[in-house]
Structure formats: C-alpha cells, structure tokens
Amino acid sequence: MTTPELAAPELESDEALSALQTLIRAQLGWKAPPRQLQHGLRRAWPMLAAREIHDLPTLVETLGRDARLWEELAPFLTIKETYFRREPQQLKDFVERFLPELRQRALRRGARRLTVLSAGCA
C-alpha cells in the first residue's frame, strides 16, 4: 500500500485536469487521454512528491513556471522505446516506390539535390 503523499491523485473532469491536458498538448504535442495520463502520473508521482507536488493544481502551477520539471516529467508521459527499421517493409517501399518518384520530381524542377526529412517519433 502506498502512502498518501506518494499516491497519484485520481483524475477527474475538473479545471486542473483540463489545464494539465492543455499544458501537455502545448509542451509535448500529445492529446493526453485521462486514462493514459493517470498511468503516467502514477509512475511519476514519487518524483513529483519528492518535489513537494501533492496535487494536480500544484503540478499545473509548477509546470507553468519550471522548465526543468518538464524534462523530468516527459519520460513518464511518453513512450520510451523506439528503434530504427522497426518496419522493414515501409523502408523498402520508400526506397523502391517513393524515392524514385521524388527524385524525378526534383530533377524536373532542376534540383541537383533531394532533401528528405525523417522525423523521429514513437
């Protein structure tokens, strides 16, 4: 059994939850469903309690002014595991189907280079 100061608060439809979801969306780009948010906060709560954060309003207020807290909290709320080439067929399709077409488009525009952005995400 956890002590009260180490137990994450239950998320209810209230002003603090809405404010927290808005902050997370703005900072991390994640529309945090309450159930997943609760799971992440449960894991993060010992760290938050050690910082004297014992409720959602305090968490929201602190996140609004403390960039370091975001660095500590984000790993609890986001997916940690990722690896390159997880879907080999997608890479094969890109190389065999899309890359040649993109190259041809670039050549038609007179471009000597083709730049491809690969955004890392989980």
Side-chain angles (χ1 to χ4, degrees), residues 22-115:
T22 299
L23 282 173
I24 289 170
R25 177 83 181 234
Q27 187 71 23
L28 303 177
W30 177 46
K31 186 176 180 183
R35 190 168 167 209
Q36 290 177 345
L37 183 55
Q38 179 70 39
H39 175 72
L41 287 176
R42 249 188 231 116
R43 293 179 24 232
W45 212 254
M47 176 273 292
L48 295 170
R51 293 178 119 232
E52 302 297 320
I53 298 171
H54 300 291
D55 56 41
L56 287 181
T58 303
L59 175 59
V60 168
E61 189 271 325
T62 306
L63 284 170
R65 62 178 165 73
D66 186 347
R68 234 183 281 149
L69 181 56
W70 277 112
E71 292 174 20
E72 293 176 34
L73 183 60
F76 291 100
L77 301 178
T78 57
I79 298 169
K80 293 180 187 177
E81 182 178 330
T82 189
Y83 50 92
F84 189 64
R85 300 170 82 143
R86 90 169 67 200
E87 300 293 337
Q89 186 60 46
Q90 289 176 351
L91 290 174
K92 182 179 180 203
D93 286 346
F94 176 75
V95 169
E96 293 177 359
R97 295 175 56 199
F98 300 109
L99 194 56
E101 182 182 332
L102 293 173
R103 183 174 178 267
Q104 288 302 316
R105 286 184 192 176
L107 289 172
R108 283 194 298 265
R109 289 191 322 263
R112 294 179 53 197
R113 300 178 116 182
L114 176 63
T115 303

